[in-house]
Amino acid sequence: MKTTTVKAYGTEAADASIHDSNLKSAGILPTDSVEKAGYGNFVHLMDPEGNKIELWEPNDVEYAKLGKLTTK
């Protein structure tokens, strides 16, 4: 069984990240559109080597309601 590792990073603007020209010129491209959840927005990217990257734009108010520490 093959496992996949996803590197996850926080961001302040998931929507803007998928249009970032620096990422595109480095060959890092979105694999889907921004997914909006109550506790934050997510988008997945793929680098030129096939590594999946997840960007998370947290909604700290909703995340704290889940009993989690906020990101700030």
Side-chain angles (χ1 to χ4, degrees):
M1 176 186 209
K2 182 180 177 183
T3 60
T4 302
T5 300
V6 178
K7 299 221 180 218
Y9 298 95
T11 183
E12 292 183 2
D15 288 315
S17 298
I18 64 172
H19 302 291
D20 186 283
S21 61
N22 292 322
L23 291 175
K24 287 182 181 181
S25 66
I28 300 172
L29 303 172
T31 61
D32 53 20
S33 58
V34 175
E35 178 183 336
K36 298 182 184 288
Y39 52 90
N41 301 329
F42 298 85
V43 66
H44 296 101
L45 310 169
M46 189 74 66
D47 75 9
E49 297 175 357
N51 299 304
K52 193 170 186 180
I53 302 163
E54 178 181 85
L55 297 180
W56 172 42
E57 176 187 349
N59 176 341
D60 282 335
V61 172
E62 294 301 319
Y63 193 65
K65 289 179 184 177
L66 296 173
K68 309 292 184 186
L69 296 175
T70 62
T71 58
K72 296 180 180 157

